[in-house]
Amino acid sequence: MLSDRRQRVLGALIEEYVSCALPVGSRTLIERYPLGVSSATVRNELSRLEYDGYLLQPHTSAGRIPTDAGYRAFVDNLMHHELLPQDPAYSHAVGQLLETSSELDELLEKVSYHLSRFTDCLSVVLAPALYDFRLKQISFVSMGPVQFLCILVTEDGQVFNRHVHSLVDVSPDELARLQVFLNQVMCGRTLQELEQGLYETMGMALRDPLVSRCVSEIISCLREGTNARAHSLGMSSLLQKPEFAHSQSLIPVMHMLEDDSLLLEILDQSSMDSDGDLPTVSIGRENGKEALSGVSVVAGRFGSGQSQGVVAVIGPTRMDYSRVMYAVQCARDVLDDA
């Protein structure tokens, strides 16, 4: 357990390092922070913090930088969680998104945009899985004699579409009748219910090639929707951070984030304990992947039960944790109300 004085020195050093991205020396701390002790005492405390693994000195003559353990101590013990920085302009802008977004996908994209702009980091919003969501509406739009567009709307506002090619000509009247029939027998059901009771419900109708083709396309489209979809923005912000000045150091991170299944695994693990008031923070090697050892993930879940999504910010371990946690919490509150 760190003493109060050691906590103050560590907190000041992390605050300075987050701001300037350069190793911090005792002189800087004495000049810029009201620590109330001599420079010799600060030097002693820095040496002790380094010995205990909270700080690292990159070069003999350089100042010190925080380690993952230092950041962890800062997040867990030094930040006043109940006093996270408030930004009314940001919270108002994010809160207004519910009124200006007609579909869930649009809302998720806008939340991701505001989150990235506010934190200057990479934002990722994963939509909830579709498996437990109910189909609300099926619409067909004719695009020619043998081609039409199938549009699916779920009860939570997600929209999917699929081009369907028919083996025979289909008139607009036939398409309209088919739309009415499929809305009657398929809407109000989850994908699981459709898969399990489809043949009992539709019976002989499935022998019609056009009906069978449409049902197959609808089920296939819904199955694709069960995969969590990521809305991410801000990779360019990471490229501008001093830690990633050489793009080679960011390439492993980019490759990992391009793999949706791996991204889902990382964010799911990162947000595992975020049922409380605050998002969870996973720092550096705590992410469990070597490629992510230079970044931190601040994540929170939204939604309820099995229909949960994840909102997260990914940035260098030298991120402004209090600002990012506040931003993620605001975004999560909005998405909970969606």
Side-chain angles (χ1 to χ4, degrees):
M1 185 69 179
L2 294 174
S3 67
D4 289 344
R5 186 169 65 193
R6 206 160 290 163
Q7 287 185 14
R8 291 198 304 272
V9 172
L10 177 61
L13 184 140
I14 289 178
E15 185 177 335
E16 182 67 21
Y17 184 63
V18 167
S19 174
C20 68
L22 295 171
V24 181
S26 59
R27 179 180 298 179
T28 299
L29 296 180
I30 288 294
E31 292 175 350
R32 299 184 183 179
Y33 298 87
L35 297 174
V37 294
S38 68
S39 57
T41 299
V42 172
R43 285 196 297 271
N44 288 336
E45 295 293 8
L46 291 175
S47 296
R48 184 63 190 186
L49 286 166
E50 181 181 357
Y51 179 81
D52 290 339
Y54 296 102
L55 300 177
L56 175 68
Q57 192 170 27
H59 308 289
T60 305
S61 60
R64 292 172 174 85
I65 63 175
T67 63
D68 288 356
Y71 287 121
R72 172 52 61 195
F74 177 76
V75 170
D76 290 347
N77 304 315
L78 306 183
M79 282 174 47
H80 297 289
H81 292 168
E82 71 279 6
L83 297 175
L84 290 181
Q86 304 296 303
D87 190 309
Y90 168 75
S91 57
H92 176 74
V94 174
Q96 291 292 103
L97 297 181
L98 280 175
E99 300 177 11
T100 60
S101 304
S102 58
E103 300 173 1
L104 181 61
D105 275 348
E106 181 184 6
L107 174 62
L108 299 182
E109 193 71 18
K110 288 180 177 179
V111 167
S112 183
Y113 169 80
H114 281 276
L115 198 53
S116 176
R117 287 287 300 271
F118 184 74
T119 63
D120 197 30
C121 292
L122 173 68
S123 67
V124 183
V125 182
L126 284 172
L130 187 69
Y131 204 73
D132 291 327
F133 295 166
R134 296 184 181 278
L135 186 58
K136 180 180 181 180
Q137 182 178 327
I138 302 169
S139 300
F140 295 134
V141 179
S142 178
M143 302 183 71
V146 294
Q147 184 177 2
F148 55 93
L149 182 66
C150 174
I151 304 171
L152 309 177
V153 181
T154 65
E155 289 187 352
D156 77 317
Q158 297 191 70
V159 180
F160 305 91
N161 60 74
R162 201 177 187 90
H163 285 87
V164 181
H165 295 268
S166 172
L167 298 178
V168 296
D169 289 359
V170 183
S171 70
D173 288 342
E174 286 181 287
L175 205 56
R177 287 194 294 271
L178 179 60
Q179 176 179 304
V180 171
F181 171 68
L182 292 181
N183 271 281
Q184 290 174 343
V185 298
M186 299 185 75
C187 288
R189 297 168 178 254
T190 65
L191 174 59
Q192 185 176 19
E193 291 170 347
L194 288 172
E195 290 178 322
Q196 292 177 349
L198 189 62
Y199 292 97
E200 284 184 21
T201 303
M202 302 192 67
M204 299 290 290
L206 285 173
R207 293 190 177 183
D208 183 305
L210 181 59
V211 173
S212 179
R213 180 64 179 272
C214 286
V215 169
S216 176
E217 293 288 349
I218 290 171
I219 295 295
S220 178
C221 188
L222 290 176
R223 282 175 179 161
E224 290 179 6
T226 62
N227 298 321
R229 289 157 295 133
H231 298 258
S232 59
L233 289 168
M235 185 63 77
S236 59
S237 296
L238 288 188
L239 285 168
Q240 295 174 26
K241 302 296 182 186
E243 293 88 341
F244 305 115
H246 303 289
S247 59
Q248 287 288 92
S249 60
L250 191 57
I251 287 176
V253 179
M254 295 174 67
H255 286 168
M256 187 157 291
L257 299 181
E258 286 171 355
D259 186 333
D260 280 350
S261 61
L262 191 53
L263 178 62
L264 177 59
E265 176 189 338
I266 293 166
L267 295 186
D268 192 54
Q269 185 63 39
S270 296
S271 63
M272 190 68 71
D273 301 320
S274 67
D275 292 333
D277 294 333
L278 291 170
T280 57
V281 181
S282 184
I283 300 169
R285 285 183 167 76
E286 294 175 359
N287 292 300
K289 307 290 182 182
E290 183 60 32
L292 298 181
S293 61
V295 302
S296 288
V297 180
V298 178
R301 293 175 182 270
F302 64 90
S304 60
Q306 295 181 344
S307 301
Q308 289 189 327
V310 177
V311 56
V313 167
I314 300 174
T317 54
R318 183 194 56 84
M319 67 162 59
D320 187 338
Y321 288 95
S322 58
R323 182 178 178 87
V324 172
M325 290 175 70
Y326 164 74
V328 170
Q329 182 58 49
C330 286
R332 187 171 75 168
D333 290 345
V334 168
L335 293 171
D336 268 335
D337 293 335

